[in-house]
Amino acid sequence: MAAAKNTEKRFDLPGLRRVVMLIVGSILLGIALFSDHGNMQIEGLFFGFLLGGVNWIVLHYLLAKIAGPFAFGRVWCGWACWFGMIFDLLPYPYSRFRRKGVWNRLRYAHFFMSLAVVIGLWFAAGYQDGAHGASGYVWFLVGLIAYYVMGIALAFKLKDNRAFCKYLCPLAVLLKTGSRFSILKIKGTAAKCDSCNVCVERCPMNIRIPDYILKGERVGSTECTLCVTCVNICPTNALSLSVGFDGGGKEHTDFVPPRFFKED
């Protein structure tokens, strides 16, 4: 028997999320720009680590990007990121599919290239001012502008608001590790899921959600940003947020373009 459809008009939870993200992201960005907390880009973390001791940059990354995902997954990406808050205002919220191949290795290349640059500057050039002070602030500001430009350009090129998050963001390398074991994840009721794939089509990160639900698993993809678009859009109310303990599992990603889409 097919699951019953819910025809009631729903509260616009994705719209609320964008408003919350814009507010939270703006506050956090303001703090980063107008306080003396240092270079919050990934290079700032590397410089801060090499400096030794506990500083604001290392503490921020430890709490928000390394330890935090073990409890809350990639909620930073879905509700607080000052890059995502802008990208989510662009006109392509549903990319329909994810690119294969080298695209999925770019963020790792970005991460390790940034690490190599910092190590080279530190040990070969004797430059150690990339974390704090005027130099660290300039580094942060230049990186901030570069990420916005790259993210917006990539979104229009690929018709995907979250293209930067999927393919280029080096922070995802850190966030994905803990989010696999996240306590907070999306769960579903298999009996209610009729595999309509509306959740897959609307998922900003192109996760094949029914592949988890129909196996009785929580959504263990490390790409999930807990934006809860799937929960809000599911016509049979099969999905919800949940608290539990598991180790994630296989990544189920939608790489198949719609039939009407012609890839460049």
Side-chain angles (χ1 to χ4, degrees):
M1 182 180 295
K5 304 287 185 181
N6 182 8
T7 59
E8 295 181 5
K9 186 175 181 179
R10 300 189 184 189
F11 179 73
D12 184 14
L13 191 56
L16 174 63
R17 181 191 64 82
R18 286 192 291 272
V19 172
V20 170
M21 190 174 193
L22 194 60
I23 294 171
V24 174
S26 297
I27 292 172
L28 294 175
L29 179 58
I31 293 172
L33 286 172
F34 301 110
S35 67
D36 190 24
H37 288 169
N39 177 11
M40 290 297 176
Q41 299 288 43
I42 190 70
E43 295 83 7
L45 170 65
F46 299 145
F47 277 116
F49 182 79
L50 288 172
L51 284 171
V54 178
N55 54 67
W56 280 112
I57 304 170
V58 173
L59 187 61
H60 165 78
Y61 273 88
L62 283 176
L63 293 177
K65 308 301 196 313
I66 298 175
F70 282 92
F72 306 111
R74 290 179 61 179
V75 72
W76 168 270
C77 305
W79 292 83
C81 177
W82 52 62
F83 297 110
M85 73 176 184
I86 299 300
F87 301 154
D88 276 354
L89 299 177
L90 300 176
Y92 306 109
Y94 312 121
S95 64
R96 306 300 186 190
F97 76 106
R98 197 181 188 102
R99 263 76 177 174
K100 290 183 178 181
V102 69
W103 286 101
N104 294 292
R105 295 189 287 272
L106 290 177
R107 59 181 159 199
Y108 297 98
H110 187 174
F111 181 91
F112 288 109
M113 184 170 64
S114 295
L115 177 60
V117 167
V118 171
I119 291 175
L121 289 172
W122 185 280
F123 292 104
Y127 174 80
Q128 302 179 359
D129 299 328
H132 302 290
S135 181
Y137 184 81
V138 170
W139 192 299
F140 174 57
L141 196 60
V142 170
L144 190 72
I145 295 171
Y147 279 23
Y148 280 129
V149 171
M150 287 190 294
I152 293 172
L154 198 60
F156 278 93
K157 170 63 178 176
L158 301 183
K159 295 182 172 56
D160 181 358
N161 286 358
R162 286 291 184 144
F164 181 85
C165 312
K166 297 174 189 176
Y167 307 122
L168 276 182
C169 182
L171 301 185
V173 176
L174 300 176
L175 291 160
K176 282 168 66 69
T177 302
S179 64
R180 179 173 299 279
F181 306 96
S182 174
I183 294 173
L184 188 65
K185 288 177 181 171
I186 302 294
K187 74 171 184 179
T189 303
K192 289 185 177 182
C193 178
D194 60 4
S195 298
C196 69
N197 283 333
V198 170
C199 57
V200 180
E201 288 297 306
R202 294 296 184 92
C203 176
M205 302 303 284
N206 310 116
I207 301 167
R208 298 204 320 264
I209 297 163
D211 287 18
Y212 296 97
I213 304 309
L214 294 176
K215 293 179 182 178
E217 301 173 359
R218 298 199 299 163
V219 177
S221 173
T222 58
E223 297 296 325
C224 180
T225 64
L226 294 173
C227 70
V228 298
T229 297
C230 59
V231 175
N232 194 67
I233 204 68
C234 178
T236 61
N237 289 331
L239 303 171
S240 63
L241 278 173
S242 70
V243 174
F245 297 92
D246 54 49
K250 184 178 179 181
E251 294 282 353
H252 295 297
T253 308
D254 182 22
F255 291 112
V256 182
R259 285 175 294 180
F260 59 81
F261 185 92
K262 183 178 179 181
E263 190 170 1
D264 295 334

